[in-house]
């Protein structure tokens, strides 16, 4: 990972970008952002236009205000999730030789309505709150085991000790993959997280490895179903047709890219906040029933995903001229810190009157795994507070962050009295 | 008091249900089951909280005096 991050090159400014909407911000390498991401976001809310265009990373819009994000997320006709149009991808794939290995497609995250619903609807029930609640006890057990390993040490690097392995273990459990695949998937998560080249061929290769590692289990469950998600996927229909092996591999890959590093970073941001706020730890230890409110407020205060979109048409959006094929980022971390939506937005407040955040986005693509994510985060905080004594950041080893589509916590050194 | 829901725009994330399972029943896929319902006496505050919790803002509360 680069220590002294250099900015990506600035591209020339297109003619429709006026000075009043231009703001130079590199969402991958801005130094202040990498030093303390959510502090820099507050600065953007105060000093940058609510919708601006930056010349970095090839040039793109940044939707910062809550209104802009909420509106764009629900206007899928203008703000397309097909960053490369679906028809174009199909055309390229159809040129490949018939015997080349299948290329995984993470449907429905990269599809627009109406095709989007065709791939989302069949798996909606699999992630419903009722289905996910059944996993609670096994998640608690996995969290407890990881924490037991560190509690006597008095210190840990939390990301590698807990935040990274836990979601991988839950993923194996959920899909019904053998525990022996833990090392394989941990390595794949690491490769996915540290990939910097943006090379499409390499990205496809990684997703093929994700699919390869689950193929045996997928085939085994077809003939001998068990109580797991892969078995369940063999029973669903997509648009009236039984799901194929390729469909199931695609869903497995979707869960890998959407459900692992997201939960991991959520845990990182949340536990960092707890480490910096011993008073909050006391309050939650004294009354654990407050932890679910804390989970919500931590998601709001440290919203960390930035989904990309492509403009499907010319539009004047929030008073700003945008052109077809411009790229736009739903900067959800800005939306949830917007003081117009959340008064005194920097303050962590356990009860904001039930006002919902959009850390899981809004509109048709709203996170399908949000119940699972909430359950994982909630249980993790409960077990951390129950098993560890009062913990704090290691003052010698500052927290390291990364930017991009997910604001990541790379290293989080904690310490406590044994 | 009544609850009215713009069901077509429900994205099935059950924040309403998390507030009250009886006022906001879900189907097996996690989408809201009802389009309109009367709020039983005593449940008004729950109904308001459930409506506020919907990230999609598709739940409206109709106060009795609005008719
Ligand atoms: C704290 C953790 C998580 C956060 C913050 C998060 C956030 C998000 C966001 C913002 C989106 C919308 C993307 C877009 O609009 O383009 C999304 C979509 C999605 N998420 Fe999550 N996610 C989390 C955990 C999970 C988990 C655990 C799973 C499941 C294993 C999951 C599965 C999905 C899927 C399948 C989609 C695509 C939905 C669609 O396109 O219709 N997520 N997530
Ligand atoms: S909170 Fe809103 S979007 Fe979610 S299930 Fe209830 S009505 Fe639907």
């Amino acid at each position: 990972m680069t220590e002294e991050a250099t900015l990506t090159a600035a591209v020339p400014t297109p003619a429709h970008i006026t000075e009043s909407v231009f703001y130079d911000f590199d969402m991958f390498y801005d130094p202040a952002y990498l030093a303390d991401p959510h502090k820099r976001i507050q600065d953007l809310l105060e000093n940058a236009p609510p919708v601006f265009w930056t010349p970095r990373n090839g040039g793109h819009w940044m939707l910062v205000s809550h209104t802009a994000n909420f509106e764009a997320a629900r206007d899928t006709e203008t703000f397309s999730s097909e960053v490369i149009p679906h028809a174009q991808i199909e055309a390229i794939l159809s040129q490949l030789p018939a015997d080349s290995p299948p290329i995984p497609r993470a449907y429905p995250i990269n599809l627009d309505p109406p095709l989007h619903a065709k791939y989302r609807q069949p798996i909606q029930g699999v992630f419903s709150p009722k289905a996910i609640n059944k996993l609670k006890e096994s998640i608690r057990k996995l969290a407890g085991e990881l924490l037991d390993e560190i509690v006597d040490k008095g210190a840990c690097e939390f990301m590698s000790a807990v935040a990274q392995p836990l979601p991988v273990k839950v993923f194996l459990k959920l899909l019904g993959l053998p525990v022996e695949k833990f090392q394989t998937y941990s390595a794949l998560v690491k490769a996915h997280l540290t990939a910097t080249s943006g090379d499409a061929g390499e990205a496809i290769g990684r997703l093929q490895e994700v699919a390869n590692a689950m193929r045996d289990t997928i085939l085994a469950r077809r003939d001998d179903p068990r109580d797991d998600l892969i078995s369940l996927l063999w029973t669903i229909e997509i648009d009236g047709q039984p799901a194929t092996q390729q469909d199931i591999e695609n869903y497995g890959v979707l869960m890998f890219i959407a459900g692992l590093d997201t939960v991991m970073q959520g845990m990182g941001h949340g536990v960092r906040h707890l480490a910096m706020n011993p008073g909050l730890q006391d309050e939650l230890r004294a009354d654990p029933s407050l932890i679910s409110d804390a989970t919500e407020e931590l998601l709001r205060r440290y919203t960390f995903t930035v989904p990309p979109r492509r403009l499907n048409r010319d539009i004047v959006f929030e008073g700003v001229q945008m052109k077809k094929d411009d790229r736009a980022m739903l900067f959800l971390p800005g939306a949830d810190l917007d003081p117009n939506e959340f008064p005194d937005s920097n303050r962590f407040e356990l009860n904001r009157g039930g006002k919902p955040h959009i850390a899981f986005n809004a509109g048709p693509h709203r996170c399908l795994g949000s119940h699972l994510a909430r359950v994982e985060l909630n249980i993790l905080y409960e077990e951390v507070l129950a098993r560890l004594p009062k913990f704090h950041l290691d003052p010698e080893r500052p927290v390291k962050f990364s930017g991009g589509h997910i604001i990541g916590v790379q290293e989080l050194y904690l310490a406590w009295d044994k | 008091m009544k609850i009215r829901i713009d069901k077509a725009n429900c994205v099935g994330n059950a924040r309403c249900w998390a507030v009250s399972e009886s006022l906001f029943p879900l189907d097996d896929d996690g989408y809201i089951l009802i389009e309109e319902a009367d709020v039983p006496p005593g449940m008004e505050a729950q109904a308001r909280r459930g409506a506020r919790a919907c990230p999609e803002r598709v739940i409206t509360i109709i106060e009795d005096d609005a008719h």
Side-chain angles (χ1 to χ4, degrees), chain A residues 232-261:
Chain A
L232 203 59
L233 290 175
W234 276 115
T235 67
I236 63 169
E237 289 192 349
I238 300 172
D239 214 15
Q241 298 296 319
T244 62
Q245 183 187 337
Q246 181 65 50
D247 291 326
I248 295 173
E249 288 182 12
N250 285 346
Y251 281 138
V253 168
L254 170 72
M255 277 148 217
F256 175 91
I257 56 175
L260 294 182
D261 57 341

Side-chain angles (χ1 to χ4, degrees), chain A residues 152-273:
Chain A
D152 291 337
K153 296 187 178 154
C156 74
E157 195 289 289
F158 189 78
M159 301 312 287
S160 54
V162 181
Q164 193 257 322
L166 182 54
V168 176
K169 287 177 184 235
V170 173
F171 169 83
L172 297 178
K173 175 88 199 159
L174 172 75
L175 273 81
L177 296 167
V179 281
E180 298 82 70
K181 296 277 181 189
F182 177 72
Q183 292 305 341
T184 311
Y185 279 102
S186 292
L188 285 166
V189 171
K190 266 185 212 120
H192 179 70
L193 284 171
T194 50
T196 44
S197 76
D199 179 280
E202 280 176 29
I204 290 172
R206 281 195 304 274
L207 297 186
Q208 283 172 327
E209 282 184 53
V210 171
N212 292 346
M214 57 180 74
R215 192 159 297 133
D216 289 352
T217 311
I218 292 178
L219 292 173
R221 295 296 185 276
R222 181 187 55 193
D223 308 322
D224 181 16
R226 297 201 195 156
D227 183 17
D228 59 33
L229 195 142
I230 290 182
S231 305
L232 203 59
L233 290 175
W234 276 115
T235 67
I236 63 169
E237 289 192 349
I238 300 172
D239 214 15
Q241 298 296 319
T244 62
Q245 183 187 337
Q246 181 65 50
D247 291 326
I248 295 173
E249 288 182 12
N250 285 346
Y251 281 138
V253 168
L254 170 72
M255 277 148 217
F256 175 91
I257 56 175
L260 294 182
D261 57 341
T262 45
V263 177
M264 167 181 172
Q265 305 307 352
M267 291 175 174
H269 290 290
V271 169
R272 169 177 170 261
H273 183 88

Side-chain angles (χ1 to χ4, degrees), chain A residues 66 70 121 124-125 128-129 296 341 353-354 356 362-363 366-367 370-371 374, chain B residues 11-15 17 26-31 49 52-57:
Chain A
H66 187 278
F70 191 67
Q121 195 281 325
Q124 183 80 29
S128 72
E296 289 312 305
E341 185 67 15
R366 195 179 137 79
C367 180
S370 61
H371 310 302
R374 286 190 160 105
Chain B
V11 304
N13 283 282
R15 297 314 287 158
W17 178 85
L26 303 183
D27 65 18
D28 282 345
D29 288 345
Y31 291 96
R49 273 180 48 218
R52 198 162 52 226
C54 175
E56 305 299 316
R57 301 179 187 164

Side-chain angles (χ1 to χ4, degrees), chain B residues 5 9-16 26 30 32 53-56 58-59:
Chain B
I5 297 169
N9 284 312
C10 166
V11 304
N13 283 282
R15 297 314 287 158
C16 53
L26 303 183
I32 191 88
C54 175
E56 305 299 316
V58 301
I59 308 176

